Amino acid sequence: MSPRRKNSTLQDKLTLGKYVLDSLSAGMYSHPLMSLREYIQNSADAIDCLPGLTDNALIDVSVDGRNRSLTIRDNGVGIPYYRAKRTMLNVGCSEKDPVLNRGFRGIGRLGGLGYCDELRFVAKSQGENIVSTCIWDCKKLRQMIADPSRSVDVESLIKDISIFKQEKYSGSREEHFFKVEMDGIHSGKSELLNVPAIKSYLSQVAPVPFHPDFSFGQLIDKELSTHVKSYRTYRLFVNGEQIFKPYRNIVCLSRGNGEAVKKINFVELQGESGILGFGWLGELSLQGTISALTDMDGLRLRYGNILIGNKETLSGFFREKRFNNYLIGEVHVCTNGLIPNSRRDDFEDGNVKDELYSAFIREIGIPLSRKIRCLSSERSKVKNSSNLATLFENANRIIKYGYISSLQREHMVKSLDAVNGNGSPEDKKIAAELICNVMKSQHILSVLDSRHRSNDDIINLFNKTLEIVYAETSNRAEAERMICRLYKMISEKSCGS
Amino acid sequence: MKKKILLVEPAYKTKYPPLGLMKISTYHKMKGDDVIFVKGRDTAVQYQYWDRVYIGTLFTWTWRETIETIKFYSATLFNYTGKCFIGGILASLLPDDLFNATGIQPVEGLLNDPRKIDQDDDVIIDDLPPDYEILKQVENANFKYSNTDAYLGYTTRGCTRRCGFCAVHTFEPTYIPYVDIKKTVKGIAANSGEKQNLILMDNNVLASPEFDRIIDDIEELGFVKGAVFGKTKRKRIVDYNQGLDARYLDEAKMKRLAEIPLEPMRLAFDSIKLKNVYLKAVQLAHKYGQKEMSNYILYNYDDTPEDFYERLKTNIDLNDEFKNDGTKTSIYSFPMRYIPLDAKDRDVDTGNGHWNKKYLRAVQVILNVMKGPVMPGKQFFLQAFGRDADEFKAIMSMPEEFIRNRLVANWKDLDTVEARWMPYVRDWMTEFARLSSTEKEILTRAIASTDSSTLKEHHAKSTGRVKKLLEFHLEENNIVAAAKKQYVTR
């Protein structure tokens, strides 16, 4: 490369193209509900910034199926009018502090762009009479991105598709709020209109309180408040119904009945750089996996009381992933040394992250994997011994009443022989004796001593046999085939004699 | 915080204790950590937490088992590969292959630098005494390490030579002419108790200008001729088990070696070109009263079967010469098959045109009878390897079953070699002797690969004596079985 060429390259203006916006919005999340998480995270941060008591603070989600719209409204600090424009329009330059706030990248707000036709932010700060509104034309945005002939940079793209306006507020000066309004939500992404799905998702993800019915909620709240500096819960409503975490006193297992949580165990996750995490686990008998329908299954990882990733995020740190589904509980991060990645499905890489997960493996992943495996092998031992009891019972029946067919006897000897291969010494002894006696056993008909019966008796018996075969076999065609074979055998035999 | 340390030796066959892992054990125990040692892939340890896992490696031809073991423990660590440390010979010889296969960059060479395993101190692990205690954790009724009654150590490190068949210069590139064995021995004695013998794994001690000081050290530790150990007064021995370089042996050094209970003395006879040097060295050892010698005979490197035979025969002749004088020096030959330094299994063609798979297999069959070394007895040798190089080649060309069943049951009562042979061996020998050199070449090509379809192909297109000899190969099992039956009924 000549020096001249090099210079001209340096003078060229760098362009951030239109796809950047696409990548930061629709391209960012694997599920539309994740954009809700971003807005609720912003609301929680806004509530945290309120001065004084915040008992009346709330986050209100309303979903309107008829109008295909969704609104998230909080009464947090809002945005002062002089900062509103840059806060609502700038990309990737939030003024928030990554340590004090959950969001700080300045991109979460774009999450809704991909899922509706119009996205509106409306904000008002206390003591002002100005309300600021920013409208994003998402439909136009998508058209411009899809059109290969339009090559625009992010800045002009945003100017083109957004309108910012400030108006005199008709309500009280004292009001303060931030609103996200999504209009024209696509039918294809109807998850954003699916109220039960939204409730279930937010109950697992959002920083909401434990349900009043969960009797351990207060205890856990107390412990978490002591150990996790940033632990807070927020009142969140979806179409008027308050959302709580899914935990309840009774846990429903995938197979079988419910089981009561006996008590709560608390775990401290310590690394070289101090305490990194604090968790609670509901004590269960670890008989099986918890039904996924309960939304309670699996230890969940939370940062700022918001879920990181999903319920599988910690599963990889058990010896077998499914072991996590035997457990209920949460691990809250309590160090400033970790930063969630922009997708919020894990933390940014670094030593502290490795330390946190190592501590998790050491304190929870390995010990509980071991416990679950031990319990499971004990259960299968019990199951084997009950199988063995049935086997011995059947063998004794053959010895007492005779065998039905020589094949049955052969199978029985084989099964008993298998016990000899890997049973306990006592079982082996019993099996060996039974093999001896089964070998000596007679056919069921000889035991009944049918030789002294008359021909009529035998024909009678044969008729009854055929009847039973036909009546008791569930597959009729199979029954007829069997009867034909039996009949053929008998008649050929009588022809021969 | 007290750490949980797992040491792993892959489940290949070994005899010598894993010295590197034993030193790492000493290091971690010094720091107060818990150390567990396992052999192979142990599912039970997957249910325990480990701060670090160290995996030792050995010969490159254990590649497959080694890689499977590393993958297993990588999964045990939830793929936190930064907690998994792999070292040893394979890791030092094939670091890039190992990295590509496992994603773990191995530790190459000796543990002579604290940075190699991210130590938080400046302890040189290679200088620590090995921890013998951990061996008990893997020993059981079916498996015991050998030489655990010996101090294992070094008086020098590395080698001054750069022989193509040897890997030492790759992983120990710098020759260190003096290592204080007194320190090692005292360390072992303090941690694991006193040991009867002294096994020194030096690669070339005779090259050391500090040789006299080294012998002084050994003597100071009590290893002098006639020394005994313990209440039962067992004889103490010293073994430089990697062999001594005949080219460096002179009268002064031999004189010093004769002061210690070297049993056996091991010289290397790697090439026929070194015959004179080798003969001189053996004569020196004999002069200074060395009784037992066990000398390494490298083959399949750049030698021919003929010169391999000659080197074995040289030792037999020397034994014959020494048999009747007072010293009774007896020399065992220890044939060592060359395997390329990067071979990932044992079954490799080295590209040495003089040897082939069939010959190598044949040598193995002959050696199996003797369980390794070639014993000093002349008659036995001539019978096993042939009376000259040609007969040796005729034996190696035989079907494997013939080699294994060469002799009649009552061979000890019979005088001549021919009379001791089974009839089919006699037939083979007679036919083989008649082959022209071209025919011999054709036969060798047909049997070289030990592959039965190649053999059949050659058999189909061959004629005359070659065809007949190839028939022996195709029918070896039947011929041997029939002859044995006949022999019994008679």
Side-chain angles (χ1 to χ4, degrees):
Chain A
M1 200 186 282
S2 71
R4 196 175 180 176
R5 174 94 182 85
K6 208 172 178 178
N7 279 342
S8 76
T9 316
L10 281 172
Q11 277 156 11
D12 281 342
K13 196 175 164 251
L14 290 172
T15 310
L16 280 178
K18 60 183 179 180
Y19 295 111
V20 170
L21 205 54
D22 192 38
S23 311
L24 294 178
S25 54
M28 191 75 169
Y29 308 107
S30 53
H31 196 282
L33 292 180
M34 289 179 179
S35 61
L36 280 189
R37 179 191 65 204
E38 296 299 311
Y39 294 126
I40 282 163
Q41 175 182 300
N42 286 342
S43 293
D45 284 341
I47 291 171
D48 283 350
C49 292
L50 285 172
L53 279 175
T54 55
D55 290 354
N56 294 325
L58 60 84
I59 306 163
D60 195 9
V61 178
S62 47
V63 190
D64 182 346
R66 213 167 281 115
N67 293 310
R68 309 194 70 79
S69 69
L70 184 146
T71 307
I72 301 136
R73 184 184 194 280
D74 69 68
N75 52 3
V77 285
I79 305 170
Y81 71 95
Y82 56 88
R83 251 190 12 219
K85 186 169 183 181
R86 63 170 191 263
T87 307
M88 289 176 175
L89 283 169
N90 279 353
V91 171
C93 46
S94 169
E95 287 161 27
K96 289 190 194 174
D97 181 336
V99 172
L100 297 176
N101 295 285
R102 293 169 183 83
F104 61 92
R105 285 192 174 82
I107 56 169
R109 167 172 43 89
L110 308 174
L113 286 176
Y115 305 114
C116 57
D117 287 342
E118 190 174 289
L119 179 65
R120 284 188 303 275
F121 305 125
V122 186
K124 186 191 167 298
S125 183
Q126 190 172 26
E128 297 174 0
N129 60 357
I130 296 172
V131 60
S132 310
T133 306
C134 176
I135 304 168
W136 295 65
D137 186 342
C138 310
K139 213 169 174 175
K140 191 170 175 189
L141 169 70
R142 278 192 297 277
Q143 280 163 2
M144 287 177 78
I145 285 173
D147 183 353
S149 64
R150 306 279 292 264
S151 146
V152 284
D153 61 277
V154 185
E155 200 179 332
S156 29
L157 182 69
I158 292 176
K159 278 181 182 156
D160 221 15
I161 59 154
S162 63
I163 300 166
F164 179 79
K165 59 184 182 188
Q166 291 188 313
E167 294 156 317
K168 191 167 184 297
Y169 186 60
S170 56
S172 160
R173 263 179 93 89
E174 293 310 304
E175 275 185 51
H176 46 94
F177 60 82
F178 187 89
K179 255 196 313 189
V180 180
E181 296 172 345
M182 296 170 80
D183 270 359
I185 292 172
H186 312 152
S187 50
K189 307 277 184 215
S190 57
E191 277 124 323
L192 278 170
L193 298 172
N194 182 340
V195 176
I198 291 171
K199 283 181 185 166
S200 156
Y201 176 77
L202 291 180
S203 75
Q204 298 173 69
V205 173
V208 292
F210 289 107
H211 195 278
D213 288 352
F214 182 46
S215 16
F216 299 103
Q218 277 186 327
L219 169 74
I220 298 171
D221 267 338
K222 199 180 133 221
E223 288 294 321
L224 285 176
S225 309
T226 322
H227 290 89
V228 186
K229 221 171 19 185
S230 63
Y231 180 72
R232 262 195 88 170
T233 63
Y234 303 83
R235 291 195 299 148
L236 168 70
F237 293 83
V238 174
N239 282 5
E241 188 192 315
Q242 190 177 354
I243 304 299
F244 297 99
K245 281 185 182 163
Y247 303 104
R248 300 293 188 273
N249 293 340
I250 303 291
V251 174
C252 202
L253 300 182
S254 309
R255 268 183 295 178
N257 304 326
E259 187 189 343
V261 178
K262 287 187 227 30
K263 61 182 251 221
I264 302 295
N265 298 313
F266 295 95
V267 187
E268 222 171 44
L269 300 182
Q270 185 142 17
E272 311 244 311
S273 43
I275 294 171
L276 307 173
F278 183 80
W280 65 269
L281 283 90
E283 193 170 299
L284 296 167
S285 58
L286 308 176
Q287 295 291 317
T289 56
I290 294 155
S291 164
L293 299 173
T294 61
D295 287 346
M296 286 193 260
D297 54 325
L299 294 185
R300 321 278 180 112
L301 181 62
R302 302 182 88 91
Y303 177 84
N305 204 10
I306 295 183
L307 189 74
I308 291 288
N310 54 34
K311 65 179 181 184
E312 305 288 342
T313 304
L314 292 171
S315 301
F317 303 117
F318 290 87
R319 208 65 277 171
E320 288 178 44
K321 282 187 172 160
R322 67 189 173 92
F323 289 166
N324 193 25
N325 304 107
Y326 283 66
L327 309 169
I328 68 164
E330 298 176 322
V331 172
H332 289 256
V333 171
C334 48
T335 168
N336 293 335
L338 284 171
I339 297 171
N341 65 18
S342 40
R343 292 172 60 97
R344 247 194 125 80
D345 56 8
D346 202 345
F347 295 101
E348 290 186 351
D349 271 344
N351 287 342
V352 184
K353 172 179 160 181
D354 289 349
E355 275 182 43
L356 172 74
Y357 289 148
S358 287
F360 181 84
I361 292 168
R362 186 180 63 232
E363 303 298 336
I364 298 173
I366 289 290
L368 280 159
S369 296
R370 194 166 51 223
K371 207 164 167 186
I372 291 167
R373 198 185 72 138
C374 283
L375 287 169
S376 142
S377 58
E378 269 168 34
R379 279 197 300 277
S380 62
K381 249 186 224 159
V382 172
K383 200 173 152 196
N384 274 343
S385 65
S386 81
N387 285 348
L388 216 55
T390 320
L391 180 72
F392 290 165
E393 209 179 296
N394 289 340
N396 279 317
R397 194 175 298 138
I398 290 178
I399 294 163
K400 193 168 172 190
Y401 300 108
Y403 55 87
I404 302 165
S405 90
S406 55
L407 205 61
Q408 185 208 17
R409 189 169 63 164
E410 205 178 289
H411 285 162
M412 179 51 75
V413 171
K414 248 186 214 164
S415 306
L416 290 168
D417 208 35
V419 178
N420 256 335
N422 48 22
S424 69
E426 301 90 71
D427 290 338
K428 278 183 190 175
K429 210 176 142 198
I430 300 172
E433 261 173 48
L434 286 173
I435 288 178
C436 247
N437 290 328
V438 168
M439 300 276 257
K440 281 189 254 165
S441 69
Q442 292 178 315
H443 192 265
I444 192 159
L445 293 179
S446 3
V447 174
L448 292 175
D449 210 7
S450 62
R451 279 162 297 179
H452 299 296
R453 293 179 188 198
S454 69
N455 265 355
D456 282 352
D457 280 346
I458 288 174
I459 286 170
N460 216 354
L461 188 78
F462 184 59
N463 279 338
K464 283 244 165 66
T465 309
L466 295 187
E467 252 169 55
I468 292 172
V469 168
Y470 188 76
E472 304 280 320
T473 309
S474 55
N475 183 337
R476 285 285 138 89
E478 183 65 18
E480 279 168 30
R481 206 179 58 80
M482 241 150 56
I483 290 169
C484 285
R485 267 187 67 193
L486 287 169
Y487 180 76
K488 207 172 158 199
M489 200 176 69
I490 300 278
S491 53
E492 272 169 11
K493 227 180 188 156
S494 43
C495 285
S497 63
Chain B
M1 221 187 323
K2 196 172 176 178
K3 289 203 166 74
K4 298 271 287 170
I5 306 297
L6 181 68
L7 308 176
V8 181
E9 183 173 55
Y12 41 64
K13 274 190 195 161
T14 38
K15 204 168 75 153
Y16 279 95
L19 211 53
L21 294 175
M22 290 158 80
K23 289 179 178 180
I24 293 170
S25 173
T26 302
Y27 170 70
H28 276 289
K29 284 183 178 174
M30 265 166 50
K31 295 175 83 76
D33 298 332
D34 283 337
V35 182
I36 299 289
F37 176 42
V38 295
K39 182 127 177 98
R41 290 170 260 169
D42 187 335
T43 38
V45 305
Q46 287 202 308
Y47 284 85
Q48 285 165 49
Y49 175 80
W50 303 106
D51 286 294
R52 279 182 173 216
V53 175
Y54 294 91
I55 304 174
T57 67
L58 201 54
F59 302 114
T60 58
W61 42 261
T62 64
W63 175 260
R64 194 194 296 259
E65 179 59 28
T66 302
I67 294 302
E68 287 308 313
T69 306
I70 295 168
K71 284 182 176 167
F72 178 86
Y73 285 101
S74 179
T76 301
L77 292 168
F78 297 91
N79 296 314
Y80 277 97
T81 48
K83 297 177 172 189
C84 191
F85 298 86
I86 303 160
I89 293 173
L90 181 150
S92 303
L93 291 178
L94 303 171
D96 297 340
D97 296 35
L98 193 138
F99 174 70
N100 288 333
T102 64
I104 300 173
Q105 188 64 51
V107 175
E108 295 169 51
L110 304 175
L111 280 175
N112 51 8
D113 183 338
R115 285 168 299 185
K116 284 188 176 179
I117 58 161
D118 303 328
Q119 286 169 239
D120 54 6
D121 50 30
D122 50 12
V123 174
I124 303 293
I125 295 178
D126 193 46
D127 291 347
L128 296 175
D131 174 17
Y132 287 67
E133 295 306 304
I134 57 165
L135 302 179
K136 292 169 194 156
Q137 296 177 16
V138 301
E139 285 184 327
N140 55 39
N142 303 319
F143 175 74
K144 291 256 185 302
Y145 285 108
S146 67
N147 303 307
T148 49
D149 59 348
Y151 299 108
L152 297 163
Y154 299 89
T155 55
T156 62
R157 292 313 293 263
C159 183
T160 51
R161 312 250 180 226
R162 301 180 64 82
C163 304
F165 55 81
C166 178
V168 168
H169 61 89
T170 318
F171 55 87
E172 291 179 37
T174 321
Y175 183 69
I176 299 165
Y178 179 78
V179 175
D180 187 358
I181 187 68
K182 301 191 299 293
K183 212 178 126 202
T184 313
V185 165
K186 280 170 193 157
I188 296 171
N191 290 343
S192 316
E194 297 209 358
K195 304 280 176 190
Q196 181 183 342
N197 301 325
L198 179 61
I199 293 182
L200 298 163
M201 288 163 288
D202 296 47
N203 293 299
N204 202 333
V205 65
L206 295 184
S208 172
E210 308 267 357
F211 181 73
D212 277 323
R213 193 173 155 207
I214 290 168
I215 299 294
D216 290 344
D217 285 353
I218 295 172
E219 290 175 356
E220 198 184 316
L221 290 167
F223 289 93
V224 291
K225 268 224 168 103
V228 290
F229 179 76
K231 282 181 195 151
T232 50
K233 301 219 183 293
R234 279 163 288 161
K235 201 164 73 168
R236 296 188 105 170
I237 63 155
V238 178
D239 185 3
Y240 272 103
N241 72 349
Q242 303 296 297
L244 302 170
D245 187 342
R247 288 162 288 189
Y248 285 119
L249 191 71
D250 58 24
E251 185 130 15
K253 284 176 184 160
M254 189 61 230
K255 201 175 162 193
R256 297 294 332 256
L257 281 175
E259 295 167 17
I260 60 172
L262 206 57
E263 242 173 80
M265 176 172 172
R266 303 175 198 266
L267 285 170
F269 192 4
D270 295 327
S271 165
I272 195 70
K273 290 180 207 130
L274 295 172
K275 188 172 178 179
N276 286 334
V277 178
Y278 174 76
L279 285 174
K280 211 183 111 205
V282 174
Q283 292 293 356
L284 256 179
H286 175 63
K287 181 176 166 190
Y288 281 88
Q290 181 63 40
K291 282 204 174 66
E292 204 180 315
M293 299 190 81
S294 183
N295 295 344
Y296 292 120
I297 314 287
L298 179 77
Y299 67 105
N300 189 36
Y301 181 58
D302 58 5
D303 54 322
T304 63
E306 287 85 352
D307 87 43
F308 171 62
Y309 180 87
E310 188 185 335
R311 283 178 289 151
L312 292 177
K313 183 74 173 6
T314 303
N315 282 344
I316 296 298
D317 292 342
L318 284 166
N319 280 317
D320 229 22
E321 185 189 324
F322 298 148
K323 200 163 64 183
N324 298 317
D325 64 18
T327 312
K328 287 189 180 150
T329 301
S330 65
I331 308 168
Y332 287 73
S333 296
F334 210 101
M336 301 266 276
R337 172 158 71 95
Y338 168 70
I339 297 175
L341 302 183
D342 56 358
K344 288 183 180 151
D345 59 69
R346 297 194 72 159
D347 194 20
V348 281
D349 185 4
T350 57
N352 173 333
H354 310 296
W355 289 92
N356 57 51
K357 257 186 173 173
K358 172 70 183 86
Y359 286 176
L360 295 172
R361 184 75 213 129
V363 170
Q364 199 51 51
V365 174
I366 298 170
L367 290 175
N368 278 350
V369 181
M370 294 174 272
K371 309 217 180 324
V374 179
M375 284 168 297
K378 185 167 196 167
Q379 288 315 308
F380 189 72
F381 171 80
L382 296 178
Q383 188 168 286
F385 284 87
R387 285 162 291 184
D388 53 36
D390 282 340
E391 197 171 285
F392 174 50
K393 278 187 115 165
I395 293 170
M396 286 200 298
S397 305
M398 269 182 207
E400 209 173 300
E401 279 301 296
F402 285 21
I403 304 177
R404 212 173 271 127
N405 303 286
R406 254 178 297 166
L407 304 178
V408 295
N410 60 336
W411 60 271
K412 280 181 184 155
D413 307 334
L414 304 167
D415 289 336
T416 65
V417 169
E418 282 85 354
R420 291 172 170 183
W421 283 338
M422 290 290 270
Y424 48 78
V425 174
R426 268 200 298 276
D427 294 347
W428 172 273
M429 288 301 201
T430 319
E431 284 304 315
F432 191 87
R434 285 189 197 141
L435 295 179
S436 69
S437 56
T438 332
E439 284 172 324
K440 272 184 191 160
E441 269 171 43
I442 296 172
L443 178 77
T444 309
R445 261 201 302 279
I447 60 173
S449 70
T450 67
D451 170 57
S452 68
S453 61
T454 316
L455 198 63
K456 278 177 195 154
E457 259 171 53
H458 277 93
H459 175 257
K461 63 185 179 196
S462 61
T463 53
R465 278 188 286 268
V466 174
K467 198 178 188 80
K468 195 175 171 198
L469 287 173
L470 289 178
E471 251 159 40
F472 280 125
H473 272 273
L474 290 172
E475 293 295 321
E476 56 176 314
N477 289 318
N478 295 338
I479 296 170
V480 172
K484 275 189 174 171
K485 207 170 158 192
Q486 209 177 3
Y487 195 81
V488 170
T489 42
R490 236 193 267 162

